[in-house]
Amino acid sequence: ATGGFLSIAMVLAVFGFLRSRRSSYLVILGVGAGLALGSDPISISTAIILIAFLAYEAAWRRTPEVLDALRSIRRNLSLLIAGLFFFLGALELSITHFGTSIDRLALPGLRQWVDMFELPRDSLPWHFHPDILISYEAPALLLGGYAFLWLLDRWLSPQEEGISLFQRFLLFWAGGAAIIIAITTRRDAGQLILLLLPLALLAGCWIEDLVTKADLTASLRAVPYLAPVLLLVTSIAIVLSQWARAGSVGSGGEKAEIGRASCRERV
């Protein structure tokens, strides 16, 4: 959860600065990056993907937004110094509060990220991560995966069809996250947060595009056909949510009796 929060904070800070050039976004980015080093592999991976994306946009594509942001930092070094000071403060907190041990200083986030690729491989089956995605996050996987292909097709078209900088980053983020998760040798279910974040945002972009282009009259005519599908999906979601929570499956009377017994024990 912490890695996911820091990942979103760093992404918002980068694109907020690209849009407004406000120094407060650099401060947020510095704090987020410093805490990420003492957090977990999720935020470390997001920081690596962000750096790689900005380098690609600046050096390869020569994107005006990114180049203008870099020029503004070079012209006003106080922005860079302010962000650097906040980064060092957060880094000091990561080392002294989260990373100290008897024999050494350490950065837990960075150390855990390196440990993800240690050899030999674990004994889990190769389909460990796909099984979890299909079992617990099927809507995000299907909608986000389709949205990834939809945006990728638009990006690879000759005109690029108006792909925004943020949409390109979502493709970069999801692709980089998939590669990192695929090559890890120490697998864990929590690593999937790195992939679920961009998949959820990709699904949101695709749904937004569908809603803005939808014909309201045609949509109303399709309601009788969509209603059974929506009811089926809702029932499946309810059953899966009950199944995923240990001990929650049961009749309403059983749940009420458990609740009353728990209250009596507390009293």
Side-chain angles (χ1 to χ4, degrees), residues 61-91:
R61 292 183 59 90
R62 310 293 296 176
T63 305
E65 292 175 79
V66 178
L67 294 176
D68 290 344
L70 294 176
R71 292 191 195 101
S72 67
I73 292 177
R74 286 198 298 266
R75 287 194 299 265
N76 189 0
L77 290 180
S78 60
L79 293 177
L80 181 61
I81 294 173
L84 182 61
F85 271 118
F86 278 92
F87 168 76
L88 292 176
L91 181 63

PDB file of all heavy atoms in Angstrom, residues 61-91:
ATOM      1  N   ARG A  61      12.566  11.101 -28.408  1.00  0.00           N
ATOM      2  CA  ARG A  61      11.436  11.750 -29.068  1.00  0.00           C
ATOM      3  C   ARG A  61      11.553  13.271 -29.105  1.00  0.00           C
ATOM      4  O   ARG A  61      10.852  13.920 -29.875  1.00  0.00           O
ATOM      5  CB  ARG A  61      10.120  11.361 -28.376  1.00  0.00           C
ATOM      6  CG  ARG A  61       9.730   9.906 -28.540  1.00  0.00           C
ATOM      7  CD  ARG A  61       8.384   9.656 -27.881  1.00  0.00           C
ATOM      8  NE  ARG A  61       7.341  10.488 -28.447  1.00  0.00           N
ATOM      9  CZ  ARG A  61       6.592  10.127 -29.483  1.00  0.00           C
ATOM     10  NH1 ARG A  61       6.771   8.952 -30.056  1.00  0.00           N
ATOM     11  NH2 ARG A  61       5.647  10.932 -29.936  1.00  0.00           N
ATOM     12  N   ARG A  62      12.403  13.822 -28.226  1.00  0.00           N
ATOM     13  CA  ARG A  62      12.567  15.285 -28.143  1.00  0.00           C
ATOM     14  C   ARG A  62      11.213  15.968 -27.915  1.00  0.00           C
ATOM     15  O   ARG A  62      10.836  16.929 -28.607  1.00  0.00           O
ATOM     16  CB  ARG A  62      13.224  15.835 -29.401  1.00  0.00           C
ATOM     17  CG  ARG A  62      14.493  15.121 -29.837  1.00  0.00           C
ATOM     18  CD  ARG A  62      15.620  15.310 -28.858  1.00  0.00           C
ATOM     19  NE  ARG A  62      16.043  16.697 -28.754  1.00  0.00           N
ATOM     20  CZ  ARG A  62      16.963  17.135 -27.911  1.00  0.00           C
ATOM     21  NH1 ARG A  62      17.544  16.278 -27.060  1.00  0.00           N
ATOM     22  NH2 ARG A  62      17.301  18.397 -27.875  1.00  0.00           N
ATOM     23  N   THR A  63      10.485  15.464 -26.945  1.00  0.00           N
ATOM     24  CA  THR A  63       9.157  15.995 -26.651  1.00  0.00           C
ATOM     25  C   THR A  63       9.258  17.408 -26.094  1.00  0.00           C
ATOM     26  O   THR A  63       9.983  17.646 -25.115  1.00  0.00           O
ATOM     27  CB  THR A  63       8.444  15.085 -25.630  1.00  0.00           C
ATOM     28  OG1 THR A  63       8.426  13.753 -26.146  1.00  0.00           O
ATOM     29  CG2 THR A  63       7.028  15.566 -25.380  1.00  0.00           C
ATOM     30  N   PRO A  64       8.555  18.386 -26.692  1.00  0.00           N
ATOM     31  CA  PRO A  64       8.679  19.785 -26.227  1.00  0.00           C
ATOM     32  C   PRO A  64       8.339  19.968 -24.754  1.00  0.00           C
ATOM     33  O   PRO A  64       9.005  20.744 -24.059  1.00  0.00           O
ATOM     34  CB  PRO A  64       7.685  20.536 -27.126  1.00  0.00           C
ATOM     35  CG  PRO A  64       7.570  19.694 -28.356  1.00  0.00           C
ATOM     36  CD  PRO A  64       7.698  18.274 -27.887  1.00  0.00           C
ATOM     37  N   GLU A  65       7.305  19.285 -24.247  1.00  0.00           N
ATOM     38  CA  GLU A  65       6.922  19.457 -22.846  1.00  0.00           C
ATOM     39  C   GLU A  65       8.066  19.085 -21.908  1.00  0.00           C
ATOM     40  O   GLU A  65       8.358  19.805 -20.943  1.00  0.00           O
ATOM     41  CB  GLU A  65       5.698  18.595 -22.532  1.00  0.00           C
ATOM     42  CG  GLU A  65       4.422  19.033 -23.220  1.00  0.00           C
ATOM     43  CD  GLU A  65       3.295  18.062 -22.957  1.00  0.00           C
ATOM     44  OE1 GLU A  65       2.701  18.129 -21.869  1.00  0.00           O
ATOM     45  OE2 GLU A  65       3.004  17.237 -23.842  1.00  0.00           O
ATOM     46  N   VAL A  66       8.708  17.966 -22.172  1.00  0.00           N
ATOM     47  CA  VAL A  66       9.791  17.505 -21.310  1.00  0.00           C
ATOM     48  C   VAL A  66      11.009  18.401 -21.458  1.00  0.00           C
ATOM     49  O   VAL A  66      11.647  18.782 -20.460  1.00  0.00           O
ATOM     50  CB  VAL A  66      10.143  16.038 -21.641  1.00  0.00           C
ATOM     51  CG1 VAL A  66      11.321  15.563 -20.782  1.00  0.00           C
ATOM     52  CG2 VAL A  66       8.935  15.136 -21.424  1.00  0.00           C
ATOM     53  N   LEU A  67      11.352  18.777 -22.681  1.00  0.00           N
ATOM     54  CA  LEU A  67      12.517  19.637 -22.900  1.00  0.00           C
ATOM     55  C   LEU A  67      12.315  21.008 -22.277  1.00  0.00           C
ATOM     56  O   LEU A  67      13.253  21.572 -21.689  1.00  0.00           O
ATOM     57  CB  LEU A  67      12.790  19.764 -24.402  1.00  0.00           C
ATOM     58  CG  LEU A  67      13.230  18.475 -25.113  1.00  0.00           C
ATOM     59  CD1 LEU A  67      13.380  18.722 -26.608  1.00  0.00           C
ATOM     60  CD2 LEU A  67      14.525  17.945 -24.523  1.00  0.00           C
ATOM     61  N   ASP A  68      11.114  21.571 -22.380  1.00  0.00           N
ATOM     62  CA  ASP A  68      10.840  22.873 -21.757  1.00  0.00           C
ATOM     63  C   ASP A  68      10.948  22.794 -20.239  1.00  0.00           C
ATOM     64  O   ASP A  68      11.442  23.732 -19.583  1.00  0.00           O
ATOM     65  CB  ASP A  68       9.443  23.358 -22.155  1.00  0.00           C
ATOM     66  CG  ASP A  68       9.366  23.755 -23.622  1.00  0.00           C
ATOM     67  OD1 ASP A  68      10.437  23.936 -24.241  1.00  0.00           O
ATOM     68  OD2 ASP A  68       8.246  23.869 -24.142  1.00  0.00           O
ATOM     69  N   ALA A  69      10.489  21.671 -19.661  1.00  0.00           N
ATOM     70  CA  ALA A  69      10.591  21.508 -18.204  1.00  0.00           C
ATOM     71  C   ALA A  69      12.053  21.435 -17.776  1.00  0.00           C
ATOM     72  O   ALA A  69      12.449  22.036 -16.763  1.00  0.00           O
ATOM     73  CB  ALA A  69       9.837  20.262 -17.766  1.00  0.00           C
ATOM     74  N   LEU A  70      12.871  20.716 -18.525  1.00  0.00           N
ATOM     75  CA  LEU A  70      14.298  20.636 -18.199  1.00  0.00           C
ATOM     76  C   LEU A  70      14.975  21.995 -18.342  1.00  0.00           C
ATOM     77  O   LEU A  70      15.836  22.354 -17.524  1.00  0.00           O
ATOM     78  CB  LEU A  70      14.974  19.610 -19.101  1.00  0.00           C
ATOM     79  CG  LEU A  70      14.539  18.147 -18.894  1.00  0.00           C
ATOM     80  CD1 LEU A  70      15.225  17.246 -19.917  1.00  0.00           C
ATOM     81  CD2 LEU A  70      14.857  17.676 -17.482  1.00  0.00           C
ATOM     82  N   ARG A  71      14.591  22.750 -19.359  1.00  0.00           N
ATOM     83  CA  ARG A  71      15.177  24.088 -19.521  1.00  0.00           C
ATOM     84  C   ARG A  71      14.792  25.003 -18.366  1.00  0.00           C
ATOM     85  O   ARG A  71      15.617  25.795 -17.890  1.00  0.00           O
ATOM     86  CB  ARG A  71      14.722  24.700 -20.845  1.00  0.00           C
ATOM     87  CG  ARG A  71      15.269  24.018 -22.092  1.00  0.00           C
ATOM     88  CD  ARG A  71      14.995  24.837 -23.321  1.00  0.00           C
ATOM     89  NE  ARG A  71      15.197  24.057 -24.531  1.00  0.00           N
ATOM     90  CZ  ARG A  71      14.218  23.512 -25.245  1.00  0.00           C
ATOM     91  NH1 ARG A  71      12.951  23.672 -24.865  1.00  0.00           N
ATOM     92  NH2 ARG A  71      14.490  22.815 -26.334  1.00  0.00           N
ATOM     93  N   SER A  72      13.547  24.910 -17.900  1.00  0.00           N
ATOM     94  CA  SER A  72      13.121  25.759 -16.777  1.00  0.00           C
ATOM     95  C   SER A  72      13.898  25.432 -15.510  1.00  0.00           C
ATOM     96  O   SER A  72      14.200  26.325 -14.709  1.00  0.00           O
ATOM     97  CB  SER A  72      11.617  25.590 -16.543  1.00  0.00           C
ATOM     98  OG  SER A  72      11.321  24.288 -16.085  1.00  0.00           O
ATOM     99  N   ILE A  73      14.244  24.163 -15.322  1.00  0.00           N
ATOM    100  CA  ILE A  73      15.044  23.788 -14.152  1.00  0.00           C
ATOM    101  C   ILE A  73      16.460  24.322 -14.292  1.00  0.00           C
ATOM    102  O   ILE A  73      17.058  24.821 -13.323  1.00  0.00           O
ATOM    103  CB  ILE A  73      15.049  22.256 -13.991  1.00  0.00           C
ATOM    104  CG1 ILE A  73      13.650  21.761 -13.607  1.00  0.00           C
ATOM    105  CG2 ILE A  73      16.053  21.824 -12.923  1.00  0.00           C
ATOM    106  CD1 ILE A  73      13.539  20.259 -13.506  1.00  0.00           C
ATOM    107  N   ARG A  74      17.024  24.236 -15.491  1.00  0.00           N
ATOM    108  CA  ARG A  74      18.384  24.750 -15.695  1.00  0.00           C
ATOM    109  C   ARG A  74      18.432  26.265 -15.528  1.00  0.00           C
ATOM    110  O   ARG A  74      19.430  26.806 -15.028  1.00  0.00           O
ATOM    111  CB  ARG A  74      18.891  24.363 -17.089  1.00  0.00           C
ATOM    112  CG  ARG A  74      19.273  22.900 -17.220  1.00  0.00           C
ATOM    113  CD  ARG A  74      20.155  22.669 -18.429  1.00  0.00           C
ATOM    114  NE  ARG A  74      19.464  23.008 -19.667  1.00  0.00           N
ATOM    115  CZ  ARG A  74      18.804  22.133 -20.414  1.00  0.00           C
ATOM    116  NH1 ARG A  74      18.736  20.867 -20.038  1.00  0.00           N
ATOM    117  NH2 ARG A  74      18.214  22.507 -21.528  1.00  0.00           N
ATOM    118  N   ARG A  75      17.380  26.957 -15.941  1.00  0.00           N
ATOM    119  CA  ARG A  75      17.358  28.421 -15.796  1.00  0.00           C
ATOM    120  C   ARG A  75      17.149  28.838 -14.352  1.00  0.00           C
ATOM    121  O   ARG A  75      17.582  29.918 -13.950  1.00  0.00           O
ATOM    122  CB  ARG A  75      16.257  29.017 -16.679  1.00  0.00           C
ATOM    123  CG  ARG A  75      16.563  29.004 -18.167  1.00  0.00           C
ATOM    124  CD  ARG A  75      15.615  29.903 -18.911  1.00  0.00           C
ATOM    125  NE  ARG A  75      14.233  29.475 -18.766  1.00  0.00           N
ATOM    126  CZ  ARG A  75      13.583  28.700 -19.639  1.00  0.00           C
ATOM    127  NH1 ARG A  75      14.225  28.270 -20.719  1.00  0.00           N
ATOM    128  NH2 ARG A  75      12.333  28.356 -19.445  1.00  0.00           N
ATOM    129  N   ASN A  76      16.466  28.038 -13.565  1.00  0.00           N
ATOM    130  CA  ASN A  76      16.159  28.377 -12.179  1.00  0.00           C
ATOM    131  C   ASN A  76      16.631  27.229 -11.289  1.00  0.00           C
ATOM    132  O   ASN A  76      15.867  26.333 -10.934  1.00  0.00           O
ATOM    133  CB  ASN A  76      14.654  28.609 -12.021  1.00  0.00           C
ATOM    134  CG  ASN A  76      14.299  29.173 -10.654  1.00  0.00           C
ATOM    135  OD1 ASN A  76      15.171  29.395  -9.822  1.00  0.00           O
ATOM    136  ND2 ASN A  76      13.018  29.380 -10.419  1.00  0.00           N
ATOM    137  N   LEU A  77      17.906  27.251 -10.937  1.00  0.00           N
ATOM    138  CA  LEU A  77      18.489  26.168 -10.164  1.00  0.00           C
ATOM    139  C   LEU A  77      17.903  26.073  -8.754  1.00  0.00           C
ATOM    140  O   LEU A  77      18.061  25.042  -8.100  1.00  0.00           O
ATOM    141  CB  LEU A  77      20.005  26.340 -10.079  1.00  0.00           C
ATOM    142  CG  LEU A  77      20.771  26.118 -11.398  1.00  0.00           C
ATOM    143  CD1 LEU A  77      22.253  26.318 -11.180  1.00  0.00           C
ATOM    144  CD2 LEU A  77      20.501  24.725 -11.943  1.00  0.00           C
ATOM    145  N   SER A  78      17.252  27.133  -8.290  1.00  0.00           N
ATOM    146  CA  SER A  78      16.652  27.059  -6.955  1.00  0.00           C
ATOM    147  C   SER A  78      15.563  25.991  -6.905  1.00  0.00           C
ATOM    148  O   SER A  78      15.336  25.378  -5.850  1.00  0.00           O
ATOM    149  CB  SER A  78      16.063  28.416  -6.571  1.00  0.00           C
ATOM    150  OG  SER A  78      15.049  28.815  -7.486  1.00  0.00           O
ATOM    151  N   LEU A  79      14.879  25.755  -8.041  1.00  0.00           N
ATOM    152  CA  LEU A  79      13.891  24.684  -8.081  1.00  0.00           C
ATOM    153  C   LEU A  79      14.550  23.332  -7.830  1.00  0.00           C
ATOM    154  O   LEU A  79      14.071  22.521  -7.037  1.00  0.00           O
ATOM    155  CB  LEU A  79      13.185  24.669  -9.442  1.00  0.00           C
ATOM    156  CG  LEU A  79      12.291  25.854  -9.789  1.00  0.00           C
ATOM    157  CD1 LEU A  79      11.746  25.693 -11.202  1.00  0.00           C
ATOM    158  CD2 LEU A  79      11.147  25.975  -8.795  1.00  0.00           C
ATOM    159  N   LEU A  80      15.668  23.111  -8.507  1.00  0.00           N
ATOM    160  CA  LEU A  80      16.384  21.848  -8.349  1.00  0.00           C
ATOM    161  C   LEU A  80      16.941  21.700  -6.943  1.00  0.00           C
ATOM    162  O   LEU A  80      16.874  20.616  -6.340  1.00  0.00           O
ATOM    163  CB  LEU A  80      17.508  21.770  -9.376  1.00  0.00           C
ATOM    164  CG  LEU A  80      18.358  20.496  -9.363  1.00  0.00           C
ATOM    165  CD1 LEU A  80      17.491  19.283  -9.656  1.00  0.00           C
ATOM    166  CD2 LEU A  80      19.485  20.605 -10.375  1.00  0.00           C
ATOM    167  N   ILE A  81      17.481  22.795  -6.391  1.00  0.00           N
ATOM    168  CA  ILE A  81      18.055  22.730  -5.045  1.00  0.00           C
ATOM    169  C   ILE A  81      16.984  22.446  -4.002  1.00  0.00           C
ATOM    170  O   ILE A  81      17.184  21.648  -3.079  1.00  0.00           O
ATOM    171  CB  ILE A  81      18.799  24.049  -4.735  1.00  0.00           C
ATOM    172  CG1 ILE A  81      20.015  24.189  -5.653  1.00  0.00           C
ATOM    173  CG2 ILE A  81      19.223  24.090  -3.275  1.00  0.00           C
ATOM    174  CD1 ILE A  81      20.707  25.526  -5.538  1.00  0.00           C
ATOM    175  N   ALA A  82      15.801  23.086  -4.164  1.00  0.00           N
ATOM    176  CA  ALA A  82      14.710  22.839  -3.215  1.00  0.00           C
ATOM    177  C   ALA A  82      14.278  21.378  -3.256  1.00  0.00           C
ATOM    178  O   ALA A  82      14.129  20.725  -2.216  1.00  0.00           O
ATOM    179  CB  ALA A  82      13.531  23.754  -3.543  1.00  0.00           C
ATOM    180  N   GLY A  83      14.084  20.854  -4.468  1.00  0.00           N
ATOM    181  CA  GLY A  83      13.705  19.449  -4.573  1.00  0.00           C
ATOM    182  C   GLY A  83      14.774  18.520  -4.024  1.00  0.00           C
ATOM    183  O   GLY A  83      14.473  17.506  -3.386  1.00  0.00           O
ATOM    184  N   LEU A  84      16.065  18.879  -4.255  1.00  0.00           N
ATOM    185  CA  LEU A  84      17.162  18.050  -3.778  1.00  0.00           C
ATOM    186  C   LEU A  84      17.223  18.029  -2.253  1.00  0.00           C
ATOM    187  O   LEU A  84      17.471  16.981  -1.638  1.00  0.00           O
ATOM    188  CB  LEU A  84      18.482  18.567  -4.358  1.00  0.00           C
ATOM    189  CG  LEU A  84      19.737  17.765  -3.998  1.00  0.00           C
ATOM    190  CD1 LEU A  84      19.617  16.338  -4.507  1.00  0.00           C
ATOM    191  CD2 LEU A  84      20.977  18.439  -4.571  1.00  0.00           C
ATOM    192  N   PHE A  85      17.001  19.178  -1.621  1.00  0.00           N
ATOM    193  CA  PHE A  85      17.032  19.227  -0.158  1.00  0.00           C
ATOM    194  C   PHE A  85      15.920  18.356   0.441  1.00  0.00           C
ATOM    195  O   PHE A  85      16.139  17.639   1.428  1.00  0.00           O
ATOM    196  CB  PHE A  85      16.897  20.667   0.336  1.00  0.00           C
ATOM    197  CG  PHE A  85      18.211  21.371   0.475  1.00  0.00           C
ATOM    198  CD1 PHE A  85      18.491  22.500  -0.272  1.00  0.00           C
ATOM    199  CD2 PHE A  85      19.174  20.911   1.364  1.00  0.00           C
ATOM    200  CE1 PHE A  85      19.707  23.153  -0.150  1.00  0.00           C
ATOM    201  CE2 PHE A  85      20.381  21.551   1.495  1.00  0.00           C
ATOM    202  CZ  PHE A  85      20.654  22.672   0.739  1.00  0.00           C
ATOM    203  N   PHE A  86      14.734  18.438  -0.128  1.00  0.00           N
ATOM    204  CA  PHE A  86      13.643  17.605   0.384  1.00  0.00           C
ATOM    205  C   PHE A  86      13.907  16.126   0.108  1.00  0.00           C
ATOM    206  O   PHE A  86      13.550  15.268   0.914  1.00  0.00           O
ATOM    207  CB  PHE A  86      12.315  18.040  -0.236  1.00  0.00           C
ATOM    208  CG  PHE A  86      11.704  19.226   0.438  1.00  0.00           C
ATOM    209  CD1 PHE A  86      11.961  20.517   0.000  1.00  0.00           C
ATOM    210  CD2 PHE A  86      10.874  19.056   1.538  1.00  0.00           C
ATOM    211  CE1 PHE A  86      11.400  21.617   0.625  1.00  0.00           C
ATOM    212  CE2 PHE A  86      10.303  20.151   2.174  1.00  0.00           C
ATOM    213  CZ  PHE A  86      10.568  21.437   1.717  1.00  0.00           C
ATOM    214  N   PHE A  87      14.541  15.826  -1.023  1.00  0.00           N
ATOM    215  CA  PHE A  87      14.913  14.444  -1.312  1.00  0.00           C
ATOM    216  C   PHE A  87      15.906  13.927  -0.280  1.00  0.00           C
ATOM    217  O   PHE A  87      15.774  12.811   0.231  1.00  0.00           O
ATOM    218  CB  PHE A  87      15.507  14.350  -2.719  1.00  0.00           C
ATOM    219  CG  PHE A  87      16.178  13.035  -3.005  1.00  0.00           C
ATOM    220  CD1 PHE A  87      15.424  11.896  -3.265  1.00  0.00           C
ATOM    221  CD2 PHE A  87      17.565  12.929  -3.004  1.00  0.00           C
ATOM    222  CE1 PHE A  87      16.051  10.674  -3.518  1.00  0.00           C
ATOM    223  CE2 PHE A  87      18.195  11.723  -3.258  1.00  0.00           C
ATOM    224  CZ  PHE A  87      17.423  10.591  -3.515  1.00  0.00           C
ATOM    225  N   LEU A  88      16.917  14.751   0.058  1.00  0.00           N
ATOM    226  CA  LEU A  88      17.923  14.324   1.042  1.00  0.00           C
ATOM    227  C   LEU A  88      17.302  14.148   2.423  1.00  0.00           C
ATOM    228  O   LEU A  88      17.677  13.248   3.174  1.00  0.00           O
ATOM    229  CB  LEU A  88      19.065  15.341   1.084  1.00  0.00           C
ATOM    230  CG  LEU A  88      19.935  15.418  -0.174  1.00  0.00           C
ATOM    231  CD1 LEU A  88      20.968  16.530  -0.046  1.00  0.00           C
ATOM    232  CD2 LEU A  88      20.615  14.081  -0.445  1.00  0.00           C
ATOM    233  N   GLY A  89      16.345  15.019   2.767  1.00  0.00           N
ATOM    234  CA  GLY A  89      15.676  14.863   4.053  1.00  0.00           C
ATOM    235  C   GLY A  89      14.884  13.571   4.129  1.00  0.00           C
ATOM    236  O   GLY A  89      14.936  12.851   5.132  1.00  0.00           O
ATOM    237  N   ALA A  90      14.146  13.256   3.056  1.00  0.00           N
ATOM    238  CA  ALA A  90      13.389  12.002   3.036  1.00  0.00           C
ATOM    239  C   ALA A  90      14.334  10.804   2.990  1.00  0.00           C
ATOM    240  O   ALA A  90      14.057   9.765   3.604  1.00  0.00           O
ATOM    241  CB  ALA A  90      12.455  11.981   1.822  1.00  0.00           C
ATOM    242  N   LEU A  91      15.454  10.952   2.294  1.00  0.00           N
ATOM    243  CA  LEU A  91      16.432   9.864   2.236  1.00  0.00           C
ATOM    244  C   LEU A  91      17.037   9.607   3.613  1.00  0.00           C
ATOM    245  O   LEU A  91      17.232   8.453   4.022  1.00  0.00           O
ATOM    246  CB  LEU A  91      17.529  10.219   1.235  1.00  0.00           C
ATOM    247  CG  LEU A  91      18.626   9.177   1.022  1.00  0.00           C
ATOM    248  CD1 LEU A  91      18.038   7.896   0.450  1.00  0.00           C
ATOM    249  CD2 LEU A  91      19.708   9.732   0.102  1.00  0.00           C
TER     250      LEU A  91
END
